[in-house]
């Protein structure tokens, strides 16, 4: 063990065991954040400005389990939600996941879109929605459901079931209109 510790101290240029332990903790946090960010699309350019909105939305997601960012098309709801999700990645041990609902045309297929984003398959004797709920039941996760307006009739009941059965899951949605569920916090 002493040989390995000495090698680590030398290779990582750490002055002592305490510094080595601090470095290991920092690398662990960076790895968890990197894994958490794996569920988000990579932005093509940096997010600039909107600092106040970013802080307000981040605080809202920290305080409420279902937050909907509402606004007209093209104002940057998706970019803001992705920036906030990236900011919060370290707070969700099991990751942050982005679900693009643009290609979904049937509200009944919202659960399938979430399952595809999470990599959850259907299990025998369970619906896709139930498979997603079972997969997330004991996880600490943030789901970003993007462009909900055209399938809000499917998103609202799915989100209600998800939040009722998965206490560690938070949901950030973007939409042109609110979901109209009682516990929704609208930004």
């Amino acid at each position: 063990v002493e040989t390995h510790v000495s090698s680590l101290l030398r290779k990582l240029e750490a002055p002592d065991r305490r510094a080595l332990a601090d470095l290991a903790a920092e690398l662990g946090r960076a790895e968890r954040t990197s894994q958490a960010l794996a569920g988000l699309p990579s932005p093509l350019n940096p997010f600039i400005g909107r600092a106040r909105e970013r802080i307000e939305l981040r605080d809202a997601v920290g305080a409420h389990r279902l937050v909907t960012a509402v606004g007209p098309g093209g104002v940057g709801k998706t970019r803001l939600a992705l920036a906030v999700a990236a900011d919060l990645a370290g707070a969700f041990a099991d990751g942050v996941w982005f679900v693009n609902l643009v290609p979904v045309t049937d509200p009944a297929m919202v659960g399938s879109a979430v399952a595809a984003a999470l990599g959850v398959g259907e299990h025998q004797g369970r619906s896709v929605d139930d498979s997603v709920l079972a997969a997330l039941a004991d996880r600490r996760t943030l789901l970003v459901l993007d462009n909900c307006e055209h399938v809000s009739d499917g998103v609202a009941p799915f989100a209600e079931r998800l939040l009722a059965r998965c206490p560690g899951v938070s949901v950030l949605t973007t939409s042109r209109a609110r979901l109209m569920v009682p516990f929704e916090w609208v930004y």
Side-chain angles (χ1 to χ4, degrees):
V1 171
E2 287 299 320
T3 302
H4 289 296
V5 170
S6 295
S7 294
L8 287 170
L9 288 168
R10 186 179 64 258
K11 288 181 180 181
L12 298 175
E13 299 177 357
D16 56 27
R17 287 176 180 246
R18 178 172 283 150
L20 192 60
D22 291 344
L23 183 59
E26 184 179 319
L27 290 172
R29 279 191 300 277
E31 183 177 333
R32 282 192 303 279
T33 298
S34 172
Q35 289 170 349
L37 290 173
L40 295 177
S42 299
L44 298 176
N45 49 29
F47 187 80
I48 299 172
R50 299 180 76 178
R52 182 180 53 81
E53 291 92 343
R54 190 173 183 170
I55 291 167
E56 290 172 354
L57 188 56
R58 185 174 53 228
D59 290 347
V61 172
H64 306 279
R65 292 190 54 219
L66 175 61
V67 176
T68 300
V70 176
V75 298
K77 297 179 299 291
T78 298
R79 283 301 304 268
L80 180 60
L82 286 172
V84 167
D87 291 346
L88 292 171
F92 292 92
D94 296 307
V96 292
W97 299 92
F98 179 80
V99 182
N100 181 9
L101 295 176
V102 169
V104 178
T105 56
D106 181 358
M109 299 304 290
V110 168
S112 295
V114 173
L118 296 173
V120 172
E122 194 170 349
H123 297 341
Q124 187 174 1
R126 279 190 191 156
S127 69
V128 174
D129 288 12
D130 287 337
S131 295
V132 169
L133 298 178
L136 294 176
D138 60 350
R139 300 239 173 120
R140 177 94 175 104
T141 302
L142 173 64
L143 287 180
V144 179
L145 304 179
D146 190 40
N147 291 294
C148 297
E149 57 273 350
H150 65 290
V151 287
S152 62
D153 290 346
V155 173
F158 179 82
E160 286 187 71
R161 287 192 311 274
L162 177 71
L163 296 175
R165 291 194 30 204
C166 305
V169 174
S170 293
V171 179
L172 171 58
T173 65
T174 69
S175 182
R176 293 180 187 180
R178 59 179 296 184
L179 297 177
M180 302 301 288
V181 292
F183 47 84
E184 174 187 28
W185 196 87
V186 178
Y187 178 79

